[in-house]
Amino acid sequence: MSHLTNLNFKSVTRASKQDPVQKRREKLKVGIDEQLLVAAAAVKGERYETKRKSWGKDERGEKVLVDRMRQVRPWFFEQDGGWYVQCKYGNKALALGKGNAVFVKALKDVEATLGALKAAADAGELDAAMSAAVARRK
């Protein structure tokens, strides 16, 4: 106990440095950036994968942290003679205007649509849709 007597203790509540709306915007923009990479790979006819850390066992049976490849699921799909692009927050598609997807004619147009969605997220146009998605989750 003599070691603790020399310390200066205070009660503190950690203040959040960023408001929740800004955090949501940043999370959505990171997701859109990743989807831009997925779309670029799809145009080339490739799959986009990222590394993720996970726990596995080595040859001696000990737990070790290993890199594994994870395929990123695209937010766009082909249907009705074109491509539908959804903007997702978590695993929920956001309600955009009158629907939950944007229709484009060609796969190469998906990147432009994702860029427009990123600009809308940056401008705060998707804040209400993200708030609704968070409210549904709770």
Side-chain angles (χ1 to χ4, degrees), residues 21-66:
V21 174
Q22 284 296 108
K23 284 182 182 179
R24 287 186 201 129
R25 282 185 196 166
E26 289 302 316
K27 181 179 175 181
L28 183 63
K29 288 192 302 185
V30 167
I32 292 173
D33 286 337
E34 188 175 49
Q35 288 301 311
L36 284 167
L37 296 172
V38 172
V43 167
K44 294 178 190 174
E46 302 171 355
R47 288 186 344 180
Y48 178 74
E49 294 180 335
T50 60
K51 285 184 187 177
R52 78 170 233 244
K53 302 270 187 196
S54 67
W55 290 98
K57 293 189 177 188
D58 63 0
E59 60 277 352
R60 294 179 289 177
E62 297 176 356
K63 285 179 85 173
V64 292
L65 198 59
V66 294

Side-chain angles (χ1 to χ4, degrees), residues 39 67 75:
D67 288 333
W75 292 356

Side-chain angles (χ1 to χ4, degrees), residues 73-115:
R73 292 183 181 165
W75 292 356
F76 50 91
F77 56 93
E78 188 176 15
Q79 188 174 320
D80 300 333
W83 292 82
Y84 286 96
V85 181
Q86 293 181 318
C87 186
K88 294 190 175 187
Y89 186 76
N91 62 354
K92 301 286 185 196
L94 296 179
L96 307 169
K98 296 182 180 182
N100 66 353
V102 178
F103 182 78
V104 294
K105 292 282 185 189
L107 180 59
K108 62 181 167 80
D109 299 331
V110 168
E111 291 182 59
T113 303
L114 288 169

